[in-house]
Amino acid sequence: HHLLHANNLNQTELKMMKIATIAALLAGSASAFSPAATSNGRVNTAISAERSQALPFMNRPALLDGSMAGDVGFDPLGLSDIDDVGIDLYWLREAEVKHARVAMLAVIGILQVEIFGPAPGCEMATDKCQMDSFWQIWGAHPQYIAFALIMITIVETVSGIAATSGRESGERAPGDFGLDPLGYSKGDPEAYARLQGQEIANGRLAMWAAAGELMQGCTTHQGAIENLMTSLKDNSF
């Protein structure tokens, strides 16, 4: 009787040990797939951390870690990692910021001239299409164009030196020329970061807008607003 009782106890203990072992294995497996809480209270998984914010079906590019203003991990062509040809992410960011600022000025300039007319000294540029008025100025005062090209060369030289030195030293952010007359960078860091994001977002939109203005001007020979009104008239119900 005692031997039978001891045998039953051993079998019970063995079953309990098996159940405990299986439970421990299941708990360990579940923890491998459970989300991990970060220091700021948000919950992330290893999979979502590797995905691009802009393209969730693609992995986040290694160098686009969100530290730059406007960075949402959008790089389907992998251009952020082509430093083996002498062009790295710093150079690409410098070019993006520069073209974004130029595009914003271009969009406003094209619309301003079409609405209010040419600047003093450029009265011969009467065409509403700024692509055509450029050739009007070229025909009447080619020295204006030559002066503009000289100024562009000077600006590009200064910009190139700044970008090259900043790229080598790592002490200058791409596109930073220290131009901050209103002191935005000295105020609230979060507000300044928000302004940087707005600058690059509006600049990206302006690059598309400037390209559209140039394209429609060269193909329709109408001003941007004139072409918009024509399009609305021709396609209205």
Side-chain angles (χ1 to χ4, degrees), residues 143-183:
Q143 66 272 21
Y144 290 1
I145 308 300
F147 177 75
L149 292 175
I150 293 173
M151 294 303 298
I152 291 173
T153 301
I154 295 174
V155 170
E156 284 297 311
T157 301
V158 174
S159 174
I161 295 173
T164 301
S165 60
R167 181 182 179 187
E168 294 175 350
S169 66
E171 298 177 357
R172 172 187 177 272
D176 182 12
F177 292 94
L179 183 63
D180 184 21
L182 299 181

Side-chain angles (χ1 to χ4, degrees), residues 45 62 66 79 100 102 107 111 114 119 128 136 163 174 189 200 226 228 232:
T45 64
L79 298 178
V102 171
V107 170
L111 297 178
E114 183 179 356
K128 289 292 185 181
Q136 290 177 327
I200 197 64
E226 180 185 10
L228 175 62
L232 292 176

Side-chain angles (χ1 to χ4, degrees), residues 11 55-56 58 61 66 100 104 107 112 115 133 138 145 160 163 172 183 188 190 202-203 206 211 217 219:
Q11 291 181 355
L55 303 172
M58 297 182 65
M104 286 188 282
V107 170
Q112 181 267 328
I115 296 171
S133 64
W138 175 265
I145 308 300
R172 172 187 177 272
D188 183 11
E190 292 186 2
N202 285 284
T219 54

